[in-house]
Amino acid sequence: MERHSRWQSYVDAAVTRTPAVSGEGGSARSSFVARTPGTRQPQPKLPRAVRQRGRLRLRDRFPPLALPHRAIPAREERLRRTDVRLVPSAALVWATASAGHYLHPAALAAVCLTFLGGAGLLLLWASSGSRAGGRAGGGAGNVAWRHRGPPRRSFLATMAVALLLSAAAGGHAAVDSSRRHDGAVAAAAAAHAAVVAEVEVTGAPRGLRTPGRSGLADRWAVPAALIEMNVASNRVRAPVKLLVMGGAGWEHAVPGQRLRTTGKLKPAAQGQAEAAVLSASSAPLTIGTPGPWQSGPGELRGHFTTAAGQFGGDARGLLPGMVTGDTGSLDAELEVAMKSVGMTHLTAVSGANCSLILGALLLAARSLRFSRAFAAVLGLAGLGLFVLMVGPDASVLRAAVMGAIGLVALAGGRPGRGLSFLCLAVIVLVLAQPELSTSFGFLLSVLATLGIVVTGRPIMRWFPPVVPRWLAVGVAVPLSAQTFCGPVIVLLQPQFSSYALPANMAAAVLVAPVTLLGTAAVPLVPLAPVLAAAPLGIAAAFATGVGAIARFFAGLPGAVLPWPEGAFGAATMALLSACTIAAWWLLLHPARTVGLALAAHSRTVALLEAVTLLRRARSLNRTPRYTNGRRVPRGRRRAGLVHRPGRGTLRVCKQSSGRKPQWLLPRPNAPGQRRRTPPPGAM
């Protein structure tokens, strides 16, 4: 008998899954022998622990051979598993925080108590089910509970955590709502009282396009925090947020700066995060300078803007906007062109900038063979320095978080966790700053990141293997982000940018050099201007290309088309986005597209034939009973075209009349005398 090798015995045993011992006096470790087709090998009785250990070892060594019909590629299995347990928590926290800007504090308190009660009931239900399953033991009647219990308890616990987090968000929102509805500031705003206020600037000034009631052409909106105010000879101290609307002088406000001004308080609009609006009637008076960590970013941005001013064309204003978010020098025509083609996100510190910075740092660290933990720490440190450099505003922090999540979703080893990271970031940011729940910028950031997380990788897998990865990423990222952000953009600006996708795809190749080289040049400009000249010049050249792309696509016919407003416009844009994704799928799957087209054609033909047969069957009951005064037998009645033997012509059967139902069809070439027509002008 031919003796098989030990490896061949393992392989044959993996196929047949027949355990056996190695021999008499063998150890407790199980081995496997080959099974000859047509013969039946004895199966000795082994202890249960030995059999189980042998199965696990065999499956670990030969997983495709042991279970060939259940083998699933590891990549597809990972991509198919998407953790959605934090989605209810993120949605409830966001909804509760946004409701806090519209509800009264008493109503918010009732909502929080309801959430707490519901969370307690869910936890009690889950714990009671767990105790019931534990008391039941391992009986045969409780097999269904053992299979159904853990998922059920996990769902109940997940919903309980969601309600607890929503109650926390509601409590935070209730505190802010009480400051807006009650107190001295709310009373002064309701009375439109004149005040002398000391405020601390918390954000960068934002220019307003339309003049106010005062008639000032240059108006600025500056977010600030109230320190104290004098109203009706009373000094009031309240830590509330204000929105200062001022004229000349307010454009130079720096975050962290303490200013004194006069003006009138007005109630904030419903849903606005600020407690009141201060309409400043005087220029700001500086009474305190910001700290080094607050003034440093402003000085760096100022030096970089000055250095970029030496370049001509679009690079003068576009380079500072793409690197540091400073759009003060941006040309008005270029700004309109970028808005027409959906490229305004490039002139602000968005998640794309943070993703590029973090990705470059991680790639450099891994190229130097640093450990994964050290590379992660280095990347986070570099991202933190970038945030401090451009200014730690709320929008910048939000962009940094969303950019890191998008990078993890695209380049991470576990893409199914991207949605969990996004939900966790939403929960943390909304709990820390409830005013983000009503911010359209935050909504657009979340939707863009959600599009990249959910549809980014699937769209990349649609491309054939011959397409380079960088090209697939360059198409998938703007397509997925634009698809999810389109309905919200229509609510803000009811128009459709026809060339938004090709413009962003064309500019994506140039954005990375501008961001990376420009960011590297920012600290070099004040320290070593000579070293900063080379990266600054290259970044300016690429920025000029971005401006040329924006102007080119904005000048094409039909660049901006009107779109319906409101909910109907958002719904139609969502439908158009879905059709766009479907069109890309059909374009990148030509074989399946042809198959679907042929299947649709065959089904359409079958449907038309069925409808035709049904109409013929119905028309048999409405056929004429008489033809030329003669009664037609029931079996010879026909519908449609009727052939008359002996005449050689086809005549149409008119279904509406029973007498004289036929008339001759026009026969221009028929023999016989033709009817003479009089010549023109004859009487």
Side-chain angles (χ1 to χ4, degrees), residues 121 123-137 142 145 149 153:
L121 291 177
L123 291 176
L124 182 62
W125 190 6
S127 61
S128 63
S130 177
R131 288 195 299 268
R135 287 195 303 268
N142 297 298
W145 170 257
R153 291 196 300 271

Side-chain angles (χ1 to χ4, degrees), residues 206-603:
R206 178 171 53 90
L208 302 178
R209 299 295 182 185
T210 57
R213 296 181 179 179
S214 59
L216 297 176
D218 297 333
R219 297 175 64 245
W220 302 86
V222 182
L226 179 64
I227 301 175
E228 70 174 24
M229 68 176 184
N230 295 326
V231 50
S233 302
N234 295 322
R235 177 176 295 180
V236 177
R237 288 180 174 269
V240 298
K241 298 177 181 179
L242 299 178
L243 183 64
V244 182
M245 312 290 288
W250 287 97
E251 68 273 15
H252 304 296
V254 180
Q257 191 177 20
R258 298 182 62 178
L259 304 173
R260 178 180 296 167
T261 185
T262 59
K264 287 186 177 182
L265 281 179
K266 300 178 182 179
Q270 189 178 12
Q272 196 170 349
E274 289 79 12
V277 177
L278 177 60
S279 181
S281 58
S282 62
L285 177 63
T286 303
I287 59 176
T289 58
W293 66 277
Q294 290 178 322
S295 60
E299 294 178 358
L300 284 176
R301 290 195 298 268
H303 289 302
F304 186 79
T305 303
T306 304
Q310 63 182 345
F311 301 102
D314 296 334
R316 175 179 302 177
L318 191 57
L319 184 59
M322 295 182 64
V323 176
T324 62
D326 185 5
T327 58
S329 303
L330 189 64
D331 185 50
E333 295 182 359
L334 180 60
E335 186 176 3
V336 173
M338 298 186 72
K339 185 179 295 185
S340 302
V341 295
M343 296 174 60
T344 52
H345 61 93
L346 298 179
T347 58
V349 181
S350 60
N353 302 69
C354 300
S355 298
L356 289 172
I357 298 298
L358 185 58
L361 292 175
L362 291 178
L363 183 61
R366 296 298 290 173
S367 300
L368 297 176
R369 299 187 180 277
F370 292 150
S371 63
R372 183 172 297 179
F374 183 76
V377 172
L378 182 63
L380 292 177
L383 184 61
L385 291 177
F386 174 74
V387 170
L388 290 177
M389 181 186 68
V390 300
D393 296 337
S395 59
V396 177
L397 295 175
R398 177 195 69 218
V401 173
M402 297 303 167
I405 292 172
L407 181 64
V408 169
L410 285 178
R414 296 182 179 180
R417 299 291 180 88
L419 185 60
S420 300
F421 293 152
L422 175 61
C423 294
L424 182 61
V426 169
I427 292 171
V428 173
L429 290 175
V430 172
L431 286 177
Q433 297 180 344
E435 62 270 11
L436 291 177
S437 59
T438 57
S439 172
F440 274 99
F442 180 70
L443 178 59
L444 291 174
S445 297
V446 172
L447 289 177
T449 309
L450 180 64
I452 296 173
V453 168
V454 174
T455 62
R457 276 184 171 268
I459 294 176
M460 290 171 56
R461 294 199 308 271
W462 293 351
F463 286 86
V466 296
V467 178
R469 182 178 177 84
W470 60 268
L471 182 58
V473 173
V475 175
V477 170
L479 177 60
S480 56
Q482 186 71 23
T483 300
F484 278 70
C485 294
V488 179
I489 295 177
V490 166
L491 295 177
L492 296 175
Q493 190 175 1
Q495 65 182 24
F496 175 66
S497 300
S498 306
Y499 308 105
L501 182 60
N504 282 275
M505 290 171 55
V509 184
L510 308 177
V511 171
V514 174
T515 302
L516 297 178
L517 295 177
T519 304
V522 169
L524 293 178
V525 168
L527 298 178
V530 178
L531 297 178
L536 198 62
I538 299 175
F542 283 103
T544 304
V546 173
I549 291 174
R551 292 181 183 274
F552 170 75
F553 282 99
L556 295 179
V560 179
L561 300 177
W563 200 264
E565 301 180 0
F568 178 74
T572 53
M573 180 57 69
L575 180 61
L576 178 62
S577 301
C579 294
T580 303
I581 293 292
W584 274 93
W585 187 91
L586 295 175
L587 179 63
L588 296 176
H589 297 80
R592 300 185 67 178
T593 301
V594 172
L596 291 175
L598 294 177
H601 176 265
S602 61
R603 292 186 179 183

Side-chain angles (χ1 to χ4, degrees), residues 19-52:
V21 293
S22 58
E24 186 176 355
S27 62
R29 296 181 58 185
S30 61
S31 60
F32 301 89
V33 296
R35 180 177 178 180
T36 305
T39 62
R40 185 168 185 174
Q41 300 289 342
Q43 299 183 1
K45 187 68 174 179
L46 296 177
R48 182 177 181 181
V50 176
R51 294 198 306 269
Q52 184 68 21

Side-chain angles (χ1 to χ4, degrees), residues 605-616:
V605 170
L607 179 61
L608 292 177
E609 290 180 353
V611 172
T612 304
L613 292 176
L614 181 61
R615 289 183 177 179
R616 288 180 179 178

